[in-house]
Amino acid sequence: METVDLRIFTEPQQGASYDDLLRVAKATEHNGFDAFFRSDHFLKMGSASGLPGPTDAWVTLGALARETSRIRLGTLVTAATFRHPSVLAISVAQVDQMSGGRVDFGLGSGWYDAEHQAYGIPMPEIKERFDLYGEQLEIITGLWETPEGETFSFDGKHYQLADAPALPKPAQSPRPPVIIGGGGKKRTPALAARFADEFNAAFVDAATAATQFERVDAACREIGRDPKAVIRSAAQVVAVGKDDAEFARRAAAIGRETDEVKQNGLAGTVDEVVDKIGRYREATGVTRLYLQVLDLSDLDHLELIASKVAPQL
């Protein structure tokens, strides 16, 4: 069976400075993980303080691009409601250049009402949001894939581009890998079949993930694309201890009950987590896992996962 790539995934809106993220990204690289990812949100969720306040995802990743040399960098996921697609295409292409071609680009339709209200960002109804999302995927990939010296035009309901020089180009050719996720039954799989290099099932159980992967496979077959061309990945909260006491301490540090986090995440002792990953992989066919690390001060946690969990996968 294929090995599983482990990626570190952070939620800085819950409270993290750039320096905090830099420490985690450097630990991610030092410990041999595949990638450092972050969410793209502007407002905390739940009871976290959120201090010192939000950091911009693509500003962060541009800076980390210069401070790291090996790991992949990306978002799970940027919201289509946050940025104009042409501007986003330029930002991401620049970060890809700054990193020497290490960006994976996650894009979603946007969902968190409260942050849109707080910062005055328009939040259309779900149907219109998906229309925007589809056009953004078309524009961003279209700009990147336009051969140098040619122009890109687009005449959609929400966006119109006329003879864009489609610059700058990303370092990766024809473009950075695109990650799509979500639980929608029709439009999400259809967009994934058309645009995604990877489909991510975030924070769902194995049965739910497997069902959604099957929908994506079916949508691929419908347009004549090989379903195997789309990498299957999942995101899960992580809390691992070398023994029960250390696990309990790590669960408490992120405000989770031990039983609950074992039920809903990759949590427990090293052996328990290795076993759960094995069962999850068997049921879903995932080859990549995003480990949601919520205590960004606990770099020993990353070292433990890298030294004790990863070698068993």
Side-chain angles (χ1 to χ4, degrees):
M1 198 178 259
E2 276 183 85
T3 57
V4 178
D5 292 332
L6 296 183
R7 296 184 156 192
I8 298 301
F9 171 51
T10 61
E11 301 269 13
Q13 75 279 357
Q14 300 302 87
S17 65
Y18 170 72
D19 287 334
D20 296 327
L21 296 171
L22 176 60
R23 272 192 297 276
V24 176
K26 285 190 159 174
T28 298
E29 183 153 284
H30 172 74
N31 284 299
F33 290 101
D34 186 53
F36 173 90
F37 269 62
R38 57 159 292 165
S39 58
D40 194 354
H41 284 296
F42 298 125
L43 191 69
K44 73 183 181 82
M45 299 166 193
S47 60
S49 77
L51 295 174
T55 46
D56 181 272
W58 289 102
V59 171
T60 299
L61 295 174
L64 294 178
R66 309 304 285 179
E67 297 273 5
T68 56
S69 60
R70 182 190 58 77
I71 48 173
R72 307 286 301 174
L73 299 165
T75 52
L76 267 191
V77 289
T78 285
T81 48
F82 286 174
R83 300 169 185 85
H84 190 285
S86 304
V87 175
L88 183 55
I90 289 167
S91 299
V92 178
Q94 184 180 354
V95 176
D96 199 47
Q97 287 285 356
M98 290 166 75
S99 67
R102 291 185 284 126
V103 163
D104 286 4
F105 174 59
L107 186 67
S109 60
W111 62 271
Y112 187 27
D113 287 330
E115 75 188 335
H116 289 76
Q117 287 166 11
Y119 284 94
I121 302 166
M123 175 76 161
E125 289 301 309
I126 186 75
K127 185 195 176 302
E128 188 185 340
R129 214 154 66 234
F130 256 84
D131 293 344
L132 283 169
Y133 178 37
E135 287 192 18
Q136 288 213 2
L137 284 163
E138 231 170 305
I139 290 165
I140 293 166
T141 57
L143 286 166
W144 289 340
E145 291 173 358
T146 297
E148 211 159 309
E150 295 182 22
T151 61
F152 176 79
S153 298
F154 183 83
D155 186 20
K157 186 178 165 192
H158 298 282
Y159 304 105
Q160 295 80 39
L161 282 69
D163 299 323
L167 296 171
K169 293 292 178 232
Q172 296 174 88
S173 180
R175 58 168 174 76
V178 172
I179 304 168
I180 288 176
K185 293 179 182 176
K186 288 198 176 125
R187 293 186 75 176
T188 300
L191 287 171
R194 195 168 157 204
F195 296 106
D197 300 280
E198 175 180 336
F199 191 85
N200 183 263
F203 311 112
V204 293
D205 61 39
T208 305
T211 300
Q212 191 65 343
F213 290 139
E214 288 303 327
R215 290 188 187 114
V216 173
D217 286 0
C220 285
R221 286 191 290 269
E222 211 167 289
I223 62 167
R225 187 179 179 200
D226 180 359
K228 288 191 171 57
V230 182
I231 290 167
R232 292 182 175 194
S233 69
Q236 294 270 308
V237 66
V238 68
V240 190
K242 57 182 181 291
D243 53 35
D244 287 330
E246 188 175 77
F247 158 60
R249 180 172 63 71
R250 288 205 162 108
I254 60 171
R256 306 284 283 262
E257 297 291 333
T258 54
D259 289 349
E260 177 275 325
V261 76
K262 277 187 185 184
Q263 176 74 33
N264 295 312
L266 299 173
T269 61
V270 169
D271 288 345
E272 286 176 309
V273 170
V274 169
D275 178 60
K276 178 144 190 191
I277 290 172
R279 284 185 285 116
Y280 199 96
R281 175 173 58 175
E282 210 165 292
T284 61
V286 296
T287 57
R288 184 171 288 164
L289 282 173
Y290 293 81
L291 307 178
Q292 185 196 42
V293 174
L294 294 173
D295 182 359
L296 300 185
S297 66
D298 184 3
L299 299 182
D300 290 344
H301 193 197
L302 271 60
E303 201 277 325
L304 177 71
I305 296 165
S307 64
K308 302 296 186 204
V309 176
Q312 298 191 63
L313 305 179

